[in-house]
């Protein structure tokens, strides 16, 4: 083992053929003070996770909002499905990457907890991870990024609570307005005048 910049760099001379290429790689690792096997691999894993999550977010990004487009999907059994609901789209995707699966589970959790915003949470998560990639490339430590996100989440909660307005469940017009907003990005948005009162009265 070699001690360089307070970091141990272990090399298995029997498993790594000695040639000019490997000699150059080892020299680079020694100069930069990185662990030959672990730290470089950790960077690659983080980059892979960010790329996979961004791919999932980009897949549903265009279905977000009132101007969002519907997705036409052909399932494995030949059935054709049209939807702009993030949870539905992601649940029908064959996702293998662990980080991408986490975004799918995030969308499903949002659907269970709130019943709406399934696309939004995935798009926001993808944007935050993209920002993480920029910070990581500048040398910011992952722990510092994670702690900053926690502080940002607390501040965002504080701001949202400050602008929130209480909803009176006896105020029918306010409830109808809220339902109209929820339905504005759905396939049935053209029939909100009929569906919103039905949903409120039920």
């Amino acid at each position: 083992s070699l001690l360089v910049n307070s970091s141990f760099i272990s090399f298995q001379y029997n498993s790594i053929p000695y040639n000019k290429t490997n000699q150059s790689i080892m020299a680079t690792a020694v100069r930069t003070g990185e662990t030959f096997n672990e730290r470089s691999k950790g960077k690659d894993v983080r980059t892979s996770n960010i790329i996979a999550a961004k791919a999932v977010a980009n897949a549903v990004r265009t279905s977000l909002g009132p101007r969002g487009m519907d997705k036409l999907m052909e399932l494995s059994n030949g059935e054709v499905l049209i939807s702009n609901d993030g949870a539905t789209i992601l649940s029908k995707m064959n996702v293998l990457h662990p980080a991408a699966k986490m975004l799918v589970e995030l969308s499903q959790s949002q659907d269970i907890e709130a019943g709406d915003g399934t696309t939004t949470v995935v798009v926001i998560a993808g944007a935050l991870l993209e920002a993480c990639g920029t910070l990581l490339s500048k040398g910011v430590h992952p722990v510092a990024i994670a702690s900053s996100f926690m502080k940002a989440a607390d501040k965002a909660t504080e701001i949202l609570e400050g602008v929130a307005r209480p909803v009176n469940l006896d105020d029918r017009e306010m409830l109808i307005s809220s339902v109209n907003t929820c339905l504005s990005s759905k396939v049935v948005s053209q029939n909100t005048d009929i569906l919103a009162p039905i949903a409120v009265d039920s």
Side-chain angles (χ1 to χ4, degrees), residues 16-32:
I16 301 179
Y18 183 81
N19 53 44
K20 291 184 178 180
T21 302
N22 288 329
Q23 185 181 16
S24 175
I25 293 173
M26 294 178 185
T28 302
V30 171
R31 286 198 303 270
T32 58

Side-chain angles (χ1 to χ4, degrees), residues 10 31 36 61 65 79 86 112 119 136 146-147 161 172 176-177:
S10 300
R31 286 198 303 270
F36 182 69
R61 185 188 303 273
E79 181 183 354
I112 294 171
T119 305
L136 289 171
S147 61
E161 290 176 349
R172 186 172 182 271
I176 290 177
S177 177

Side-chain angles (χ1 to χ4, degrees), residues 25-195:
I25 293 173
M26 294 178 185
T28 302
V30 171
R31 286 198 303 270
T32 58
E34 291 185 354
T35 303
F36 182 69
N37 288 328
E38 295 180 2
R39 291 192 182 177
S40 58
K41 182 178 179 181
K43 291 180 180 179
D44 294 339
V45 170
R46 285 193 292 268
T47 302
S48 173
N49 290 341
I50 291 173
I51 291 174
K54 283 172 59 180
V56 173
N58 290 334
V60 297
R61 185 188 303 273
T62 54
S63 65
L64 179 65
R67 296 183 180 274
M69 297 177 289
D70 295 344
K71 301 291 185 182
L72 188 149
M73 298 164 285
E74 182 179 7
L75 307 182
S76 57
N77 59 1
E79 181 183 354
V80 175
L81 177 65
I82 300 176
S83 176
N84 72 339
D85 178 63
T88 302
I89 296 171
L90 293 175
S91 65
K92 301 301 181 183
M93 292 173 60
N94 186 17
V95 180
L96 300 178
H97 196 282
K101 283 185 177 180
M102 289 184 66
L103 284 191
V104 175
E105 294 171 358
L106 172 66
S107 178
Q108 293 172 348
S109 299
Q110 177 70 13
D111 190 27
I112 294 171
E113 289 292 327
D116 197 17
T118 54
T119 305
T120 304
V121 293
V122 174
V123 172
I124 291 177
L128 290 176
L129 286 171
E130 185 174 1
C132 284
T134 303
L135 294 174
L136 289 171
S137 64
K138 293 180 179 180
V140 182
H141 198 276
V143 175
I145 297 174
S147 61
S148 299
F149 275 160
M150 296 299 294
K151 294 178 182 178
D154 294 337
K155 186 63 177 180
T157 302
E158 178 185 337
I159 294 173
L160 289 175
E161 290 176 349
V163 300
R165 293 184 300 172
V167 177
N168 183 5
L169 297 180
D170 295 328
D171 189 346
R172 186 172 182 271
E173 294 301 322
M174 179 179 289
L175 293 177
I176 290 177
S177 177
S178 300
V179 174
N180 282 333
T181 302
C182 295
L183 294 176
S184 62
S185 62
K186 307 302 179 185
V187 178
V188 295
S189 59
Q190 297 178 349
N191 300 316
T192 53
D193 294 339
I194 300 172
L195 296 176

Side-chain angles (χ1 to χ4, degrees), residues 2-9 29-34 39:
L2 302 175
L3 179 61
V4 180
N5 293 336
S6 302
S7 300
F8 282 101
I9 304 177
V30 171
R31 286 198 303 270
T32 58
E34 291 185 354
R39 291 192 182 177

